[in-house]
Amino acid sequence: MFIVRFFLCCILGVLGILPLHAADAVAPQTTEKPKPAPTIEPGITFDWVHVDRPYIALTFDDGPSTKLTPKLLDLLAAHQIKATFFLIGENAAEHPELVAREAREGHEIANHSWSHPNLAKMSDDGVRAQLRKTEDAIRSAISNRPTLMRPPYGSISVRQKKWINQEFGYKIVLWDVDPLDWRRPGANVVCNRIVKNTRAGSIVLAHDIHPGTIEAMPCVLKELEAKGFKFVTVSELIAMETPLPPKPKPSSTPKPSKSAPARSTSSSPTPHN
């Protein structure tokens, strides 16, 4: 009798414990939901454009410069090349005649802020003032407004890109070729870096406020032309964009078994020396 009672107690104890363990097994580990990764709306930001032909866009930041920009414009005119100039508003307001010449000769004029601050560290009102003042200076010089902007240092948040695009209608333009000409490494280095890294659809970054950059441009244009590249403005390049080809699907052909060597498909065996 004692043994029967003992076994009954053991069975009841086990039955009481099992529900507790079952509850533990299905209890969630955490109540926090994973945060979705930030996304960028397509068609807002460009650092390179997929094109089917060898077109590229040369871009020049931080001007205009009374000493250097006219030399660059003369060179571009000699090669019949159109570029895109991302202007600092202070410089544009001080030298509207150069802005007018750039536009008159077919170059694209774009917004690069008023005084070159780090926009990612500024309030929305501060960013808005930087872009608005520069747009007003450009509009005053050429009676037209820009449609592109480039953030100084390339520094801008995803949220800023969205509201700037919504409020100003700007596309945000970065780059995929950077010769680091602002470090003034010398004309030969600037030329070599640009020529080596440029590909179809590239947006090339340079600055028309550094003497070495202007000295490098004859080499840059000559070498890129020799490679078959053709030059357009950034807006023209974006208009040429074609869809990226789909990624190839993995092959469904079964791999040969490791236990048996694969048979050769050639008509005659390759001799081994």
mmCIF file of all heavy atoms in Angstrom, residues 12-48:
data_model
loop_
_atom_site.group_PDB
_atom_site.id
_atom_site.type_symbol
_atom_site.label_atom_id
_atom_site.label_comp_id
_atom_site.label_asym_id
_atom_site.label_seq_id
_atom_site.Cartn_x
_atom_site.Cartn_y
_atom_site.Cartn_z
ATOM 1 N N LEU A 12 1.583 12.339 -9.827
ATOM 2 C CA LEU A 12 0.948 13.659 -9.698
ATOM 3 C C LEU A 12 1.957 14.788 -9.756
ATOM 4 O O LEU A 12 1.712 15.858 -10.316
ATOM 5 C CB LEU A 12 0.156 13.711 -8.375
ATOM 6 C CG LEU A 12 -1.084 12.818 -8.303
ATOM 7 C CD1 LEU A 12 -1.685 12.847 -6.902
ATOM 8 C CD2 LEU A 12 -2.112 13.277 -9.332
ATOM 9 N N GLY A 13 3.122 14.537 -9.162
ATOM 10 C CA GLY A 13 4.161 15.576 -9.190
ATOM 11 C C GLY A 13 4.635 15.855 -10.596
ATOM 12 O O GLY A 13 4.821 17.003 -11.008
ATOM 13 N N VAL A 14 4.826 14.791 -11.357
ATOM 14 C CA VAL A 14 5.279 14.980 -12.742
ATOM 15 C C VAL A 14 4.232 15.703 -13.564
ATOM 16 O O VAL A 14 4.531 16.604 -14.345
ATOM 17 C CB VAL A 14 5.603 13.607 -13.374
ATOM 18 C CG1 VAL A 14 5.837 13.756 -14.879
ATOM 19 C CG2 VAL A 14 6.821 13.000 -12.700
ATOM 20 N N LEU A 15 2.964 15.337 -13.387
ATOM 21 C CA LEU A 15 1.900 15.998 -14.132
ATOM 22 C C LEU A 15 1.789 17.472 -13.785
ATOM 23 O O LEU A 15 1.425 18.302 -14.611
ATOM 24 C CB LEU A 15 0.566 15.292 -13.844
ATOM 25 C CG LEU A 15 0.432 13.868 -14.410
ATOM 26 C CD1 LEU A 15 -0.883 13.243 -13.950
ATOM 27 C CD2 LEU A 15 0.509 13.898 -15.936
ATOM 28 N N GLY A 16 2.129 17.846 -12.583
ATOM 29 C CA GLY A 16 2.069 19.258 -12.175
ATOM 30 C C GLY A 16 3.214 20.065 -12.741
ATOM 31 O O GLY A 16 3.093 21.256 -12.987
ATOM 32 N N ILE A 17 4.363 19.419 -12.929
ATOM 33 C CA ILE A 17 5.537 20.150 -13.411
ATOM 34 C C ILE A 17 5.486 20.374 -14.906
ATOM 35 O O ILE A 17 5.878 21.414 -15.419
ATOM 36 C CB ILE A 17 6.821 19.384 -13.041
ATOM 37 C CG1 ILE A 17 7.016 19.421 -11.531
ATOM 38 C CG2 ILE A 17 8.033 19.956 -13.736
ATOM 39 C CD1 ILE A 17 8.127 18.514 -11.046
ATOM 40 N N LEU A 18 4.942 19.393 -15.676
ATOM 41 C CA LEU A 18 4.952 19.480 -17.129
ATOM 42 C C LEU A 18 4.301 20.742 -17.675
ATOM 43 O O LEU A 18 4.847 21.387 -18.566
ATOM 44 C CB LEU A 18 4.268 18.238 -17.715
ATOM 45 C CG LEU A 18 5.110 16.956 -17.711
ATOM 46 C CD1 LEU A 18 4.289 15.785 -18.217
ATOM 47 C CD2 LEU A 18 6.363 17.153 -18.572
ATOM 48 N N PRO A 19 3.136 21.153 -17.174
ATOM 49 C CA PRO A 19 2.540 22.394 -17.709
ATOM 50 C C PRO A 19 3.436 23.597 -17.515
ATOM 51 O O PRO A 19 3.459 24.496 -18.337
ATOM 52 C CB PRO A 19 1.222 22.518 -16.931
ATOM 53 C CG PRO A 19 0.902 21.132 -16.494
ATOM 54 C CD PRO A 19 2.213 20.487 -16.224
ATOM 55 N N LEU A 20 4.160 23.625 -16.369
ATOM 56 C CA LEU A 20 5.047 24.766 -16.126
ATOM 57 C C LEU A 20 6.141 24.825 -17.173
ATOM 58 O O LEU A 20 6.466 25.882 -17.714
ATOM 59 C CB LEU A 20 5.661 24.668 -14.716
ATOM 60 C CG LEU A 20 4.671 24.804 -13.558
ATOM 61 C CD1 LEU A 20 5.394 24.594 -12.230
ATOM 62 C CD2 LEU A 20 3.999 26.176 -13.595
ATOM 63 N N HIS A 21 6.753 23.685 -17.479
ATOM 64 C CA HIS A 21 7.803 23.664 -18.483
ATOM 65 C C HIS A 21 7.260 23.998 -19.865
ATOM 66 O O HIS A 21 7.924 24.663 -20.666
ATOM 67 C CB HIS A 21 8.464 22.279 -18.513
ATOM 68 C CG HIS A 21 9.437 22.087 -17.372
ATOM 69 N ND1 HIS A 21 10.633 22.727 -17.333
ATOM 70 C CD2 HIS A 21 9.357 21.329 -16.238
ATOM 71 C CE1 HIS A 21 11.302 22.367 -16.225
ATOM 72 N NE2 HIS A 21 10.528 21.534 -15.537
ATOM 73 N N ALA A 22 6.057 23.533 -20.156
ATOM 74 C CA ALA A 22 5.463 23.842 -21.451
ATOM 75 C C ALA A 22 5.241 25.332 -21.601
ATOM 76 O O ALA A 22 5.472 25.913 -22.660
ATOM 77 C CB ALA A 22 4.137 23.081 -21.604
ATOM 78 N N ALA A 23 4.786 25.975 -20.511
ATOM 79 C CA ALA A 23 4.572 27.415 -20.556
ATOM 80 C C ALA A 23 5.878 28.151 -20.780
ATOM 81 O O ALA A 23 5.950 29.132 -21.516
ATOM 82 C CB ALA A 23 3.904 27.885 -19.255
ATOM 83 N N ASP A 24 6.960 27.674 -20.100
ATOM 84 C CA ASP A 24 8.267 28.302 -20.298
ATOM 85 C C ASP A 24 8.719 28.174 -21.740
ATOM 86 O O ASP A 24 9.359 29.066 -22.303
ATOM 87 C CB ASP A 24 9.304 27.660 -19.376
ATOM 88 C CG ASP A 24 9.064 28.030 -17.921
ATOM 89 O OD1 ASP A 24 8.331 29.005 -17.683
ATOM 90 O OD2 ASP A 24 9.623 27.341 -17.054
ATOM 91 N N ALA A 25 8.423 27.030 -22.373
ATOM 92 C CA ALA A 25 8.911 26.782 -23.723
ATOM 93 C C ALA A 25 8.271 27.717 -24.728
ATOM 94 O O ALA A 25 8.882 28.099 -25.705
ATOM 95 C CB ALA A 25 8.631 25.333 -24.125
ATOM 96 N N VAL A 26 7.034 28.125 -24.526
ATOM 97 C CA VAL A 26 6.357 28.966 -25.500
ATOM 98 C C VAL A 26 6.409 30.435 -25.120
ATOM 99 O O VAL A 26 5.965 31.285 -25.877
ATOM 100 C CB VAL A 26 4.887 28.533 -25.678
ATOM 101 C CG1 VAL A 26 4.819 27.110 -26.174
ATOM 102 C CG2 VAL A 26 4.103 28.697 -24.377
ATOM 103 N N ALA A 27 6.930 30.763 -23.946
ATOM 104 C CA ALA A 27 6.991 32.164 -23.533
ATOM 105 C C ALA A 27 7.941 32.931 -24.443
ATOM 106 O O ALA A 27 9.011 32.461 -24.776
ATOM 107 C CB ALA A 27 7.473 32.254 -22.081
ATOM 108 N N PRO A 28 7.585 34.124 -24.907
ATOM 109 C CA PRO A 28 8.467 34.897 -25.772
ATOM 110 C C PRO A 28 9.718 35.320 -25.015
ATOM 111 O O PRO A 28 9.678 35.626 -23.829
ATOM 112 C CB PRO A 28 7.611 36.106 -26.180
ATOM 113 C CG PRO A 28 6.584 36.227 -25.087
ATOM 114 C CD PRO A 28 6.318 34.831 -24.618
ATOM 115 N N GLN A 29 10.848 35.374 -25.765
ATOM 116 C CA GLN A 29 12.120 35.767 -25.160
ATOM 117 C C GLN A 29 12.170 37.258 -24.886
ATOM 118 O O GLN A 29 12.841 37.718 -23.995
ATOM 119 C CB GLN A 29 13.272 35.359 -26.103
ATOM 120 C CG GLN A 29 13.372 33.851 -26.328
ATOM 121 C CD GLN A 29 13.632 33.113 -25.034
ATOM 122 O OE1 GLN A 29 14.481 33.506 -24.231
ATOM 123 N NE2 GLN A 29 12.869 32.064 -24.791
ATOM 124 N N THR A 30 11.494 38.049 -25.735
ATOM 125 C CA THR A 30 11.501 39.495 -25.548
ATOM 126 C C THR A 30 10.209 40.074 -26.094
ATOM 127 O O THR A 30 9.594 39.495 -26.988
ATOM 128 C CB THR A 30 12.699 40.149 -26.263
ATOM 129 O OG1 THR A 30 12.615 41.579 -26.126
ATOM 130 C CG2 THR A 30 12.714 39.806 -27.765
ATOM 131 N N THR A 31 9.791 41.185 -25.576
ATOM 132 C CA THR A 31 8.582 41.841 -26.059
ATOM 133 C C THR A 31 8.907 42.915 -27.092
ATOM 134 O O THR A 31 8.003 43.507 -27.652
ATOM 135 C CB THR A 31 7.836 42.478 -24.868
ATOM 136 O OG1 THR A 31 8.710 43.407 -24.216
ATOM 137 C CG2 THR A 31 7.388 41.417 -23.885
ATOM 138 N N GLU A 32 10.219 43.209 -27.343
ATOM 139 C CA GLU A 32 10.599 44.247 -28.288
ATOM 140 C C GLU A 32 10.559 43.712 -29.713
ATOM 141 O O GLU A 32 11.050 42.621 -29.993
ATOM 142 C CB GLU A 32 12.010 44.767 -27.976
ATOM 143 C CG GLU A 32 12.111 45.477 -26.635
ATOM 144 C CD GLU A 32 13.501 46.005 -26.388
ATOM 145 O OE1 GLU A 32 14.356 45.829 -27.273
ATOM 146 O OE2 GLU A 32 13.728 46.591 -25.326
ATOM 147 N N LYS A 33 9.981 44.497 -30.623
ATOM 148 C CA LYS A 33 9.962 44.125 -32.027
ATOM 149 C C LYS A 33 11.219 44.649 -32.706
ATOM 150 O O LYS A 33 11.689 45.732 -32.384
ATOM 151 C CB LYS A 33 8.722 44.708 -32.706
ATOM 152 C CG LYS A 33 7.409 44.140 -32.186
ATOM 153 C CD LYS A 33 6.245 44.748 -32.944
ATOM 154 C CE LYS A 33 4.930 44.162 -32.441
ATOM 155 N NZ LYS A 33 3.772 44.737 -33.158
ATOM 156 N N PRO A 34 11.789 43.882 -33.656
ATOM 157 C CA PRO A 34 12.972 44.380 -34.358
ATOM 158 C C PRO A 34 12.641 45.630 -35.155
ATOM 159 O O PRO A 34 11.585 45.728 -35.788
ATOM 160 C CB PRO A 34 13.340 43.211 -35.287
ATOM 161 C CG PRO A 34 12.079 42.420 -35.435
ATOM 162 C CD PRO A 34 11.363 42.569 -34.126
ATOM 163 N N LYS A 35 13.554 46.612 -35.124
ATOM 164 C CA LYS A 35 13.337 47.860 -35.845
ATOM 165 C C LYS A 35 13.651 47.650 -37.321
ATOM 166 O O LYS A 35 14.671 47.071 -37.658
ATOM 167 C CB LYS A 35 14.220 48.964 -35.261
ATOM 168 C CG LYS A 35 13.888 49.312 -33.824
ATOM 169 C CD LYS A 35 14.791 50.399 -33.294
ATOM 170 C CE LYS A 35 14.443 50.752 -31.857
ATOM 171 N NZ LYS A 35 15.327 51.804 -31.307
ATOM 172 N N PRO A 36 12.795 48.118 -38.209
ATOM 173 C CA PRO A 36 13.084 47.955 -39.635
ATOM 174 C C PRO A 36 14.276 48.789 -40.042
ATOM 175 O O PRO A 36 14.523 49.868 -39.491
ATOM 176 C CB PRO A 36 11.789 48.453 -40.310
ATOM 177 C CG PRO A 36 11.175 49.381 -39.305
ATOM 178 C CD PRO A 36 11.532 48.823 -37.956
ATOM 179 N N ALA A 37 15.044 48.296 -41.000
ATOM 180 C CA ALA A 37 16.198 49.038 -41.495
ATOM 181 C C ALA A 37 15.717 50.266 -42.253
ATOM 182 O O ALA A 37 14.684 50.228 -42.927
ATOM 183 C CB ALA A 37 17.036 48.155 -42.414
ATOM 184 N N PRO A 38 16.431 51.392 -42.127
ATOM 185 C CA PRO A 38 16.025 52.594 -42.860
ATOM 186 C C PRO A 38 16.111 52.364 -44.353
ATOM 187 O O PRO A 38 17.005 51.686 -44.847
ATOM 188 C CB PRO A 38 17.046 53.640 -42.392
ATOM 189 C CG PRO A 38 18.220 52.858 -41.912
ATOM 190 C CD PRO A 38 17.649 51.603 -41.353
ATOM 191 N N THR A 39 15.154 52.903 -45.072
ATOM 192 C CA THR A 39 15.144 52.754 -46.514
ATOM 193 C C THR A 39 15.179 54.121 -47.175
ATOM 194 O O THR A 39 14.803 55.131 -46.588
ATOM 195 C CB THR A 39 13.884 52.006 -46.980
ATOM 196 O OG1 THR A 39 12.725 52.742 -46.528
ATOM 197 C CG2 THR A 39 13.842 50.607 -46.421
ATOM 198 N N ILE A 40 15.659 54.153 -48.424
ATOM 199 C CA ILE A 40 15.708 55.382 -49.198
ATOM 200 C C ILE A 40 14.774 55.222 -50.387
ATOM 201 O O ILE A 40 14.797 54.212 -51.068
ATOM 202 C CB ILE A 40 17.130 55.669 -49.697
ATOM 203 C CG1 ILE A 40 18.080 55.797 -48.503
ATOM 204 C CG2 ILE A 40 17.176 56.935 -50.536
ATOM 205 C CD1 ILE A 40 19.519 55.999 -48.901
ATOM 206 N N GLU A 41 13.953 56.220 -50.627
ATOM 207 C CA GLU A 41 13.059 56.153 -51.766
ATOM 208 C C GLU A 41 13.877 56.141 -53.048
ATOM 209 O O GLU A 41 14.829 56.907 -53.197
ATOM 210 C CB GLU A 41 12.104 57.346 -51.744
ATOM 211 C CG GLU A 41 11.132 57.328 -50.582
ATOM 212 C CD GLU A 41 10.212 58.525 -50.589
ATOM 213 O OE1 GLU A 41 10.232 59.268 -51.588
ATOM 214 O OE2 GLU A 41 9.495 58.714 -49.610
ATOM 215 N N PRO A 42 13.545 55.287 -54.004
ATOM 216 C CA PRO A 42 14.319 55.222 -55.239
ATOM 217 C C PRO A 42 14.214 56.511 -56.027
ATOM 218 O O PRO A 42 13.209 57.217 -55.989
ATOM 219 C CB PRO A 42 13.663 54.052 -55.998
ATOM 220 C CG PRO A 42 12.277 53.953 -55.433
ATOM 221 C CD PRO A 42 12.415 54.352 -53.989
ATOM 222 N N GLY A 43 15.266 56.845 -56.742
ATOM 223 C CA GLY A 43 15.249 58.026 -57.586
ATOM 224 C C GLY A 43 15.588 59.316 -56.880
ATOM 225 O O GLY A 43 15.477 60.392 -57.469
ATOM 226 N N ILE A 44 16.026 59.250 -55.613
ATOM 227 C CA ILE A 44 16.383 60.466 -54.879
ATOM 228 C C ILE A 44 17.884 60.679 -54.859
ATOM 229 O O ILE A 44 18.365 61.785 -55.106
ATOM 230 C CB ILE A 44 15.834 60.412 -53.439
ATOM 231 C CG1 ILE A 44 14.299 60.458 -53.449
ATOM 232 C CG2 ILE A 44 16.386 61.569 -52.599
ATOM 233 C CD1 ILE A 44 13.690 60.390 -52.070
ATOM 234 N N THR A 45 18.649 59.649 -54.570
ATOM 235 C CA THR A 45 20.093 59.781 -54.380
ATOM 236 C C THR A 45 20.847 59.036 -55.474
ATOM 237 O O THR A 45 20.508 57.905 -55.815
ATOM 238 C CB THR A 45 20.503 59.220 -53.011
ATOM 239 O OG1 THR A 45 19.715 59.844 -51.996
ATOM 240 C CG2 THR A 45 21.977 59.498 -52.732
ATOM 241 N N PHE A 46 21.906 59.677 -55.998
ATOM 242 C CA PHE A 46 22.708 59.080 -57.054
ATOM 243 C C PHE A 46 24.193 59.278 -56.749
ATOM 244 O O PHE A 46 24.627 60.405 -56.489
ATOM 245 C CB PHE A 46 22.390 59.724 -58.412
ATOM 246 C CG PHE A 46 20.979 59.520 -58.868
ATOM 247 C CD1 PHE A 46 19.979 60.398 -58.463
ATOM 248 C CD2 PHE A 46 20.643 58.449 -59.682
ATOM 249 C CE1 PHE A 46 18.672 60.207 -58.877
ATOM 250 C CE2 PHE A 46 19.329 58.258 -60.094
ATOM 251 C CZ PHE A 46 18.337 59.139 -59.694
ATOM 252 N N ASP A 47 24.951 58.172 -56.752
ATOM 253 C CA ASP A 47 26.410 58.297 -56.719
ATOM 254 C C ASP A 47 27.026 57.687 -57.973
ATOM 255 O O ASP A 47 28.218 57.865 -58.240
ATOM 256 C CB ASP A 47 27.000 57.645 -55.464
ATOM 257 C CG ASP A 47 26.619 56.175 -55.335
ATOM 258 O OD1 ASP A 47 26.002 55.616 -56.266
ATOM 259 O OD2 ASP A 47 26.943 55.587 -54.293
ATOM 260 N N TRP A 48 26.218 56.974 -58.735
ATOM 261 C CA TRP A 48 26.597 56.350 -59.999
ATOM 262 C C TRP A 48 25.305 56.003 -60.700
ATOM 263 O O TRP A 48 24.268 55.819 -60.049
ATOM 264 C CB TRP A 48 27.418 55.083 -59.713
ATOM 265 C CG TRP A 48 27.658 54.195 -60.897
ATOM 266 C CD1 TRP A 48 28.584 54.376 -61.891
ATOM 267 C CD2 TRP A 48 26.956 52.986 -61.232
ATOM 268 N NE1 TRP A 48 28.499 53.353 -62.810
ATOM 269 C CE2 TRP A 48 27.513 52.482 -62.438
ATOM 270 C CE3 TRP A 48 25.916 52.275 -60.635
ATOM 271 C CZ2 TRP A 48 27.067 51.315 -63.035
ATOM 272 C CZ3 TRP A 48 25.466 51.108 -61.235
ATOM 273 C CH2 TRP A 48 26.045 50.641 -62.420
#
